[in-house]
Each structure stands twice: as structure tokens, then as C-alpha cells.
């Protein structure tokens, strides 16, 4: 019912405008807009003080209209009257309301109270609420313009959803000038009820919409958001401009992972899991909207550039390459066709330089060849207005290719003399950009986004098959940290941390606990020499600082000596009671190994995050890392690796053998599952994590858990990855 | 004389158009353009077949006009007639010619011959030649339009120089629409004579020009180019768009330095030394031209953003921050002034959100406060066309601040309803951008460029004071590699390489050569144990691969054993004659050291390049490096360090003490001088180069020199850094 009631916001039969007015202001503008663009039903202006409004008979109250008549009530009255108005709407079986009034959450406590009251009436009857504090909604296929914007959207294929009403007015005005349209325009306001998820699902199903563009300030419920997007993005691009790239929003954190994982980068990781294309520039948003409205999404990254000038062609190639696009190769058959129609001085390659004296026919014939070339996913035609160029006649020739089936874009570089041609092309459905490099960029963004979407098609199972008994492992892990919490510790010992890793079959090497020197000797003999010994302590976290680590111990005598030495060091540098024994482990020397880091961190919004990256002393300087939301499957574990530069080395460089990437992927998958399974794990760092052609091993591990007395498990952010 | 003759290209008294015509084409268009925009002198059309051209009396030949009458001859005749025409011009004391005709270098050998012939006439008499194969020249202060473009430039302050005629036509047409002008427009063509250096010097002195924008495909003579720019950029910005970012232009190279230094990155380094602002996006070029034409260059990076909408303000802040700009802080006095005029709901910070209902006065009052705030270097005013916004009236209020003395920019976000206001502002001299983030970006580019220019003000002396006898060092180095070359070697031994470093006082540690085991023992005793021994060989370059390295040798017996073992290993893994002895050096273990790389490489165009970066196995994966042209002074040596991420670590991280940066800077300066002094050094790698709080030392070094028999020193690219 909720989703079908949402439909009333866009295709209502009858609409009430509560707060209709003839006085200059929102109530009058909305009245005008609703009348000027007929929505196919009846408009009921409501104002207790008026007989009529702009020639239309007014009702005193929505209560005067028979129940069930009104699908959509637009509420434009002062905030303090809104709750009672909403109650009336609910009573009269209104399906949905759009509250444009301001004065709610942004006013603090009193406003929040009003909001709670509104929802107390709306929720029980399933009445949907858009806003408050919004510009309203337009929907071109029904004709509804329930906004107080200056104009109605032109028909188009893109739904634009915005958390800024001001940006709506800008985008609308821009679109009018350039000449592209929208399927819908939604100013979401404070999203008291209807939120991104509702709208993404709605427009995902909406046959009038082929792409969704969003200006976002806050994401709302991340799990629902990702779930809604994952349903839609494989079929329709969802493009988001979200501010916050520069936010100094890093939480103070004691772990490397925490220090490395910026809030905005976690947001990027979430968008990646959602299949969203995030862009950062306002001009890119404008250009993408134009492209998405007019042309099909590229099926791949290969662009053919047809240009009448060399320089702009090369600059465009630079941008294409840097963004990860590909200059489509020209096969032999196409080359012969180009040779047949172009003067000998043509470039004989892509960019296809059709030369300064290109006629309209030469231009369009070359584009046709590119369209028919199976290597080509999109075509960009660049025109500079030279002495012998006829931009208008060329536009007439090119417009015939508007629906060629591939992504077709034009850059008319100039201002005045190219204007008529640009307009002709846009009217025919060809997007026209002043800067050709911008066209190459948005083309590549879209094709990259399509690549990313392939990743999200593989569902994450609730109980993944990891090659071991997951239920047993979960229980074991809970037992380990519960025990530590019993003694009041939230930082687990290395011994405990490694036991937790071992429960999830993450190789930490043998790590044996010895309470006496004799036990240590027994362990060492079993492990085989040389061994490493470290202090076992529930209080000391930086073991080397207190002289608590001895490496390369070669025999029994050495073990005994090390035990006593560590004990003495700890007593001296910390205190005797910090020493609880030693852990004994083999001395691991892996040839050609890399020191990496595998860690986790709980983001307040997105829950547990896994981080893989280059470790060592330079970890926070080089910041070579990949981030993902927990849990990852193998596909996203590999994606995590591929985000790093060190991945190139892991695959084998300069004669070094490659690391077993498959094994590493499995370990990352298991680690992320461990973290997702246990929301009480606040931070986990495997550092150093040794990765080499001969094996992969967690040399040290450090796990922090939330204090169960202070924080309840249900209050801790859980994984926001939907499972199926 | 050359430069004064160049002046004839822009402000000629009398002009001859050779190839004037009434037939549609270049000769006719140029005739029209020269007549339509009077240049203040007499136009002499020349065509042997005509009595008059477009109503102006024609001469048969330039020989028919008294010698010395014509300052500038524009040549628009077929290529094969150009040389004789140039000869006639030279004979008749013409000061300069613009050859628009095509058909020269681009046609290969025959064209090159024509070009040589042209210069054989022009050079002896100092007659300047622009082109061939160009669109011509416009100069607004004289009125000259010696182009076959569709229009004359509007007056403005920016000189636009372009290696693409087609881009000229696009920029011109764009400028006409947006409404900004140019001081000059030069299509440089193939730069047979007049090149970037001439033009940069000319417009550097030209009082009508306040900035130079260039579209460049090739740089020409790098040394002259850098020298010309260094003179001009401290006074006038020089902005270059140069293609080639994506070029797979990396030379196959055996050294890490060679592999790391991409051709385009070296070009970036050269531009940096020249004080040039390089931009990559065509839309940035358009925006910068608009800004440079209308507003003063920012004195610093602090921007104040005055906006009537929050969202665009935040997106703009993101871009500002990422580009390295600063959101200007609001001091107490300014805050009080804002509080006095803004509603309580204003943002109380920068961006200054003047709210959706802002009146024109509120907007302009806030901009005024920002103008008067000493923290502020520039102001960006963002307007979104909301319900209560009056873009046109706001423009009238804001235009009064067009000449406020600080960089003032406006973003009118929209299309139709903002158009009138945008035009009013532009006409008043305020640049208007659709996307506010673009404005923040170009503002930051300009302020960053001003920062860079500070670096180039310190001249590079021909004989720098490096703290040692440079002439003696030069002689010593020449002696070392000359000796190697005598034996037919171009790869120097580690022993030789370190001797070369030592000559320039670059610490390589003691490295002694031992031809016998006994000599080795003697050296080791002198050095002190433990020592490292490596094979000394003129043939083996990868010493560890043949078992030619022994570390941590603790006593005399160990030295003897190591000597024999290395000898045996080499005999086994290579051959007995590859072993010429051992080098003995102290076993250096520097606490908290970083393994970095310091190397050099000879770029075919820019000559010797110095590279500093992170070393170790991941050097080519992480690509954390700084590049500079040799030689660097201390300022640029530090700049080199600052280009890297490892620099952050060198300054001290996570409790580690800092490295002596001053000492490192001196070493880099010396190294770069070594390379600049000796063009015959083809490649030098100090790798590993150990840098630590306790010292800096070249652990290994590898120098390659050109084979003097095959390559003469004068043919090798030399340093292109001008010295004074």
C-alpha cells in the first residue's frame, strides 16, 4: 500500500491545495503551476477565508470534500497548522501529502515535535508524506506540477531528486535553456517519511524514467538505501552528487584502519556496493543529465572521436585515457571505408581527423562508419567553426544519426556561429557540449559505472559458504571476547585475537601460550626452532616498548633465557603483575614478502568496514588502501585489492613470483565475515600481515571490542549490506 | 632589431596583402577583415592579375611599392610561390611577414626545402616570419585583424597564442558569446621563425596584455622557452593547455628513474621551473580567460563564498579544499557586521549563506564586508534562482563591486531567468560561471600559480656555491668516467660511481677496493667491524644475483672467507675473469631509516632530470616521486621533496625523529649539479639511498655514461635551466 500511495504523489486523480492563495507567495505560485500544467484530474483549492482562488471555487476545509476524493493534498500552511491539517487529510482518506511548509526539524525541539505529530496521523493509515520544507514535485507524464518553481519541467527521461530546493530551481532553469527535460523532479525536503529508498524504488519501476540523478546531503538508512539501489542500478543508472569530499570528518581512532578510513571514502565504498555513479562536479551533473536524457548508456568504454581539428581531438583523448576510457581501435574494414571517403591527409587513426574543410556529408559519413564498427561503443563528433565549416548544415546531417543505437554526442566548440547548429542537434536528441573533453569524461563515467554494476549482481548470502562451520566459529569467537569482557578488558591479547582469527580460518600461525619457562620450551620444541617469544599480558599493548619481544631464539636455553628476560623487562618497564607468561610462535621468514594491513573499523553510519592496504611504518603516509563494507564476497574482496597499488606488486613484479591472490581473497572474505558477524568487535588490525608467494600469515593481531556493560549489541552499527 | 621587427606583426603602419582576392577564400576573407577593422595605416592589396580588390587599388607586386613602405606583408599565395615572395619582401625592406599558406613542413622533404629557402631570405635581413600554415594575427589596440577568422577579437587583456588554428576559431566564437575580449590573438602555425619565446617576451612587455594563454602542442627550444617565461611569469600569468598527458611516451629505460619519469611529467617539471600554470581541461581554459580578462589575480588562496543556497556552497567548498584553496576565516569584526545585516538563520560561517530570500542589497552588502576583510583574497557570489530571488536586480547591485580590488567572481546557476543578470555582470567586468565549483577551481589554480612563481625568483648561478671546489670536482669526475670509457665500459662500477658521488660530497660511506684477501682484511680493520663486501667487477651489474655480496662480516677470518667465497661464487655463477676483487665498506645500520631513491635521467627534450622518491622493491608500484630539471637550487630541491608522500614521513611521524631535511636538500642540490655538469652521464641511480635521523648515505650507486665514441658531448641534451 505504501508504494501504491506514493504513486498518488506523481499521478494523482484529484488534488487539494491546502493554503491556496491569490496573495503573492507559495500558495499562489502553486495554484498557478497546478492550473497551467493540467494533471488530468480536478484541483480543489482550500482556504477557509476565500470563496474562490484564481477563478476556481475554494473549499473551507478538506473535510468539506467527500472522503476518498482527494489522492494528493499539497500543504502550504504555516508549520503550526500542519499537524491538524495532516490529521484531517488522514481522516478523509487522502493517499499522500506534499508538505512544502518550512519550520520543522530545522527549528530544533518544537519542530521535531510537530514532525512526530504529523507522522502519528499519517503512519497508521499509510498516507505518504513528502517534505516538509521542500519545493514540491513535478511529474511530466501526468502533467503534475506540484511545485512553487518558476516553471514546469519539459518531458524527459531522467528523474531528478534533490535535497536542495535551490539546486532544483537552478537545474530546472538550466535545462530550459539547454533544452532537455525530466521525467520527474522531486524536492525531498527533510524526508520525514518518503526517502531516497522509496523514490529510488518508485522510479526504478517507473517506465517513464530511464535514469535517476540525485543531489544528496545525507543518505538516511544505509541498509535500505543500498538494498533499493542494488535493485535498480543494474537496470537504470543512479547518479549521485554528494558533498562532503573535503569534510575533516575523520573520527579520532587508535587503529591504523580507523586513521585511514575517512568518512567520505566509506561513503564511496557504500555507493560502490549500491552500484551508484558518484560524481563531484556540478558541471558534470549538468552534462550527465543532458546525455542520459538523450542517448543510450554506453555498452562499453570504447569511444570513436570524429573531429575537424587535431588539437581538440588530442586533448579529448588525454581526458578519455586518464578517466579510463578507451580510444576505439579501427579495424581493417572500417579503415578501408574511411580511406575511401576521406582525403589522403586524414589521421588514419582514432581520433578520426576529417580535416578543416570537412563537408557536412564527410562528417556524417564518418560517424556512420563508426556507428557500424563493432569496436565502437560511443561516438563523439567535434566541430570547430573554421573558414570552410558549416555548423548548421553539419547539424542537419548529423541529426539523422541521433538514434543510431550507440551513445552519440557532439561537441560544437564555440559560441555564436555554432548556436543554431547546436540547437538543431539538441532538438533532435543529440547532446551538445562546448568542451569535448567533458563529453569524453561523462561518457567514461557512465561506462565505468556499468562495469561496477557487474560486481553487485552476485548476491551476498546470509550464511556464506566459507569452507568451515560458521555457526561453530561464531560461537567460539563470542566465547573468547565474552571471557575478556568478564575481566573488564576490551582490548584482547594477541593470543585471544589470534584465536579469533583461527576460528575463522585466518592463518595466524601457531601461537602457543606458556605460563612457565618449561611450558615455553615444550611449545618451542613442538613448533621447531627458531621461535619468537612475546609477553602475554592483559594490560600491555605495545609489547616491544617494554622489551616484551624476543626473536630468532634458536634453542632450549635461549627459550628459557628469553622467558626470564621478558619477565624481568616487563617487571622493570611496566610492573611484575603485567607479566602473565609468554606466547611462543615460529620465527616466520617468508621470502619476498610484503607487509600489508588487514583491518576493520565501525563507521557510525555504515557499520563495519574492512580495509586492506600497504602496511609498515609508512602506512599512514602512503595511504595505499582499499575500503569495503563488511561483509565482502570474493568479488568485492578482489575489488578491494584492486583499489590498491600494492596489488600490482602482489601479482608479481620485477621477477618476484606472484602471491596466491585466490587465497588472499578468501582470507579477506573470511575476515570481513568475522567482523560482520560480530558487531561487538569495534576494531581489528592484522598488522603486520605478511603476504608472500610462499604463504600468507597474520604476524600480529589486535582486536578491540565494545564494552558490553556500556554498549548494547543492538545499539552498535551492524553491517548494512543486504543479504539474500 | 628582431624584437622591434616583431612589433610590425601587431602594430604595422602599412600592410601588404599578397594574394588579395575577390574569390571566396582566404585572400578575400583577409581583405575584408583588414578593411573592416582599420589598423591606422594603408592597406596595399597585391595581385598580379587584378587592378583592384574589393574597391582598393591593387599592385602587381610588392616590388612596385617603394622600399621601406610596408611594415607587414601577409602572404596568402600557394606554397611554391612563397619563397620568391619572401625574397621580394626582404628586398623591399619589409619588417615582418605572416605566412598563412599551408604546404610546408607537414608535406615532408619538399616542404622543408621551401621553409629553408624562406629563412635564407628572411634571416639575413632580420625580417620576422609568423607561420606558415596559420590563421594569422589580431591585435586589438592597433585594430589589426590579419586573420581569415570569421570575426575580429573584442578588446581585452589576455593574449591568446595557439598552435591550432581551429582552436582559435572556437575560442573566438566562444568569447563573442560570453562577452570577453583579447589583447591579441596569434595563430603560430609551424613556428618557422617566430616562436613561443619571441611571443612570450613580446607580450610580457606589451602594456595592453596582462596575461598570456597558450594552446601548445610542442614546446620548441626548452631553454629559451624557460628563460623567456621566467622573465614574464613573475609579472603576468602564463597559462598553458598542453596535450600529451596520456601519451605512452615513456622511453624504455634500464633504470628505475627512467621507468618512473614519464615524458609528460618532465614537461610538468619544466613548466614549474618556468612559472607556468598548466591546465588540462578545455572548460578551465575558457573560464580562466574570462577571469583573467575581467579581474585581478588573487593575492592568496583565501576565498569567501557568499551564497543564497547551502548545497552549492558545500559542493564549492569541497572543490576549493581539494584543489588546495582555503575558505577564508571570518574575523570577529566581520562576523559582527554579518550578524547586523543577516537574519539569525544565516550560516555564521564561510560559506556565508545569505538565505533563499536574500534581497539584492543583502547580497551586495555581504560581498562588501568580504571585500573589506583582510583575510579574504577573492569573493565568489553564488546565486540560485529561487522563488524570492531577483537575479537581474541582484546583478545591478553586484556590478558596482566589479572593481573592488579583489578577485570577484559570480556563479549564476541556471539558464534562462539568470541570463539578463549574467549579461549585466559580464558587461560590468564580473566573470559569471554556471558552475560555482569551476569558479573555485580556477581561482585556486591562479593562486597556486602565484605561489609557484615565488620559487623561480631565486636565480640559478652558473657556478653555485656548494661548499667545495666545483672545478676540481668536475675534473675528477671527468677523469673517472673517461678511464672507464677507455676500457670500453659505459656502466661504471660501484667503486667508480661512489668516487664520483664523493667528488661532489655526496655521502656514500667508505668504500675501499681490495684486490686481494689481505688487502680486504687491512681495509676492514681500518673501517672497523662489521663490514660488507661486494664483488668488484666491470662486467657484473647485479651483484647479489651471482652471490657477490656478503653482509655483517664480523672479523678478519670472516673477511678472508668472504673474499674467497665471493670469488668462487662469481667463478661459478659468472666466470672467473668477472672477478676483479672486492669492495669493502662498513655495515651501515641506521635506526629508523627510509629507503629512498635519488636518480637522474636524460630526457631527449629537457635534458637531465633529477628524481627523488620512495625506494625499495615497491618503487615502480607506488610511484611516489618528485621530478625536477637539473640543476636544482635549494628551493627546488625542497620542492622536489615536497612533491612526495614520503616527505611527510621524513619530517617525522608516529614518534620517529625527523630526518635532517636541510642536509638532504644540500645533497639533492649537489647531485643535480653533478648531473648538470656532466651531460655525458646518461643515468645515475642511488638506490638504496638510506635516509634516517642519524644520517644520510648512498648505500649503492650505479652510473651509466654515454659512449664517447658513438655520442659526442655536444650532441647530448644539456641542462635547459638558464643560469645567471
Amino acid at each position: 500500500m505504501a508504494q501504491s500511495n506514493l504513486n498518488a504523489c506523481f499521478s494523482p486523480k484529484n488534488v487539494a491545495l491546502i493554503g491556496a492563495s491569490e496573495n503573492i507567495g507559495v500558495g499562489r505560485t502553486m495554484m498557478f503551476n497546478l492550473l497551467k500544467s493540467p494533471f488530468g484530474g480536478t484541483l480543489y483549492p482550500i482556504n477557509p477565508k476565500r470563496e474562490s482562488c484564481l477563478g476556481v471555487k475554494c473549499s473551507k476545509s478538506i473535510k468539506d470534500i467527500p472522503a476518498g476524493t482527494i489522492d494528493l493534498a499539497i500543504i502550504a500552511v504555516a508549520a503550526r497548522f500542519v499537524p491538524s491539517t495532516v490529521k484531517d487529510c488522514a481522516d478523509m482518506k487522502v493517499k499522500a501529502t506534499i508538505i512544502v511548509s518550512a519550520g520543522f526539524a530545522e527549528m530544533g525541539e518544537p519542530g521535531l515535535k510537530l514532525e512526530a505529530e504529523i507522522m502519528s496521523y499519517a503512519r497508521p493509515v499509510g498516507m505518504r508524506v513528502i517534505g516538509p520544507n521542500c519545493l514540491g514535485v513535478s511529474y511530466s507524464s501526468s502533467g503534475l506540477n506540484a511545485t512553487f518553481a518558476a516553471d514546469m519541467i519539459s518531458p524527459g527521461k531522467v528523474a531528478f531528486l534533490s535535497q536542495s530546493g535551490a539546486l532544483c530551481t537552478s537545474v530546472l532553469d538550466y535545462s530550459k535553456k539547454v533544452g532537455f527535460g525530466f521525467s520527474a523532479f522531486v524536492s525531498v525536503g527533510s524526508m520525514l517519511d518518503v526517502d531516497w529508498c522509496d523514490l529510488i524504488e518508485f522510479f526504478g519501476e517507473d517506465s517513464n524514467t530511464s535514469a535517476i540523478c540525485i543531489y544528496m546531503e545525507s543518505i538516511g538508512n544505509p541498509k535500505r538505501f543500498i538494498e533499493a539501489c542494488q535493485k535498480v542500478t543494474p537496470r537504470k543508472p543512479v547518479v549521485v552528487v554528494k558533498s562532503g569530499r573535503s569534510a575533516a570528518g575523520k573520527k579520532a581512532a587508535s587503529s591504523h584502519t580507523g586513521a585511514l578510513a575517512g568518512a567520505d571514502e566509506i561513503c564511496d565504498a557504500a555507493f560502490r556496493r549500491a552500484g551508484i555513479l558518484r560524481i563531484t562536479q556540478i558541471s558534470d551533473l549538468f552534462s550527465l543529465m543532458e546525455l542520459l536524457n538523450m542517448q543510450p548508456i554506453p555498452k562499453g568504454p570504447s569511444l570513436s572521436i570524429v573531429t575537424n581539428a587535431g588539437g581538440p581531438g588530442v586533448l579529448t583523448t588525454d581526458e578519455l585515457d586518464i578517466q579510463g576510457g578507451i580510444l576505439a581501435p579501427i579495424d581493417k574494414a572500417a579503415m578501408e571505408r574511411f580511406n575511401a571517403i576521406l582525403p589522403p591527409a586524414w589521421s588514419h587513426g582514432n581520433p578520426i581527423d576529417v580535416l578543416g574543410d570537412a563537408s557536412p556529408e564527410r562528417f556524417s559519413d564518418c560517424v556512420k562508419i563508426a556507428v557500424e564498427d563493432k569496436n565502437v561503443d560511443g561516438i563523439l563528433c567535434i566541430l570547430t567553426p573554421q573558414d570552410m565549416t558549416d555548423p548548421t548544415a553539419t547539424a542537419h546531417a548529423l541529426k539523422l544519426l541521433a538514434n543510431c543505437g550507440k551513445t552519440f554526442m557532439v561537441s560544437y566548440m564555440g559560441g555564436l556561429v555554432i548556436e543554431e547548429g547546436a540547437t538543431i542537434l539538441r532538438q533532435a536528441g543529440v547532446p551538445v557540449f562546448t568542451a569535448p573533453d567533458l563529453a569524453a569524461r561523462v561518457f567514461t563515467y557512465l561506462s565505468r559505472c556499468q562495469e561496477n554494476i557487474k560486481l553487485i549482481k552476485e548476491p551476498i548470502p546470509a550464511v556464506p559458504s566459507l569452507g568451515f562451520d560458521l555457526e561453530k566459529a561464531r560461537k567460539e569467537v563470542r566465547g573468547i571476547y565474552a571471557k575478556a569482557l568478564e575481566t573488564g578488558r576490551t582490548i584482547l591479547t594477541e593470543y585471544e585475537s589470534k584465536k579469533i582469527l583461527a576460528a575463522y580460518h585466518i592463518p595466524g600461525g601457531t601461537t602457543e601460550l606458556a605460563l612457565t619457562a618449561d611450558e615455553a620450551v615444550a611449545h618451542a620444541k613442538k613448533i621447531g626452532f627458531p621461535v619468537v617469544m612475546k609477553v602475554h599480558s592483559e594490560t600491555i599493548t605495545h609489547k616491544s616498548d617494554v622489551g616484551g619481544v624476543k626473536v630468532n631464539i634458536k634453542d632450549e636455553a635461549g627459550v628459557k633465557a628469553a622467558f626470564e628476560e621478558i619477565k624481568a623487562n616487563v617487571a622493570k618497564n611496566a610492573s611484575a603483575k603485567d607479566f602473565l607468561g609468554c606466547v611462543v610462535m615460529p620465527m616466520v621468514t617468508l621470502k619476498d614478502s610484503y607487509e600489508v594491513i588487514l583491518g576493520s573499523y565501525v563507521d557510525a553510519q555504515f557499520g563495519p568496514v574492512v580495509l586492506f592496504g600497504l602496511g609498515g611504518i609508512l602506512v599512514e603516509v602512503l595511504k595505499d588502501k582499499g575500503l569495503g563494507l563488511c561483509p565482502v564476497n570474493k568479488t568485492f574482496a578482489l575489488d578491494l585489492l584492486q583499489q590498491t597499488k600494492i596489488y600490482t606488486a602482489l601479482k608479481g613484479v620485477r621477477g618476484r613470483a606472484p602471491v596466491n591472490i585466490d587465497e588472499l581473497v578468501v582470507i579477506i572474505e573470511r575476515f570481513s565475515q568475522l567482523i560482520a558477524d560480530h558487531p561487538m568487535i569495534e576494531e581489528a588490525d592484522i598488522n603486520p600481515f605478511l603476504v608472500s608467494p610462499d604463504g600468507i600469515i597474520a604476524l600480529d593481531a589486535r582486536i578491540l571490542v565494545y564494552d558490553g556493560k556500556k554498549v548494547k549489541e543492538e545499539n552498535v552499527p551492524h553491517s548494512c549490506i543486504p543479504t539474500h
Side-chain angles (χ1 to χ4, degrees), chain A residues 4 14 70 117-119 170-171 211 270 283 369 386 409 414 498 523 535 560 586 602 607 611-613 649 675 699 717:
Chain A
S4 88
N14 300 321
I70 303 296
E117 208 182 335
I118 290 170
M119 287 317 293
S170 288
V171 167
S283 45
I369 296 172
Q386 300 174 57
M409 307 168 291
K498 284 205 176 157
H523 287 314
V535 60
K560 279 187 182 164
V602 177
L611 179 142
F612 173 86
I675 305 303
L699 277 198

Side-chain angles (χ1 to χ4, degrees), chain A residues 10 136-140 144-147 151-153 183-186 203:
Chain A
F10 303 100
V137 167
S138 306
Y139 189 61
S140 41
L144 180 78
N145 184 7
T147 72
D151 213 333
M152 172 61 177
I153 49 175
S183 60
F185 225 71
V186 185
F203 290 108

Side-chain angles (χ1 to χ4, degrees), chain A residues 695-706:
Chain A
I696 298 174
I697 188 165
L699 277 198
D700 200 349
R702 184 167 166 274
I703 292 177
L704 265 77
V705 292
Y706 288 105

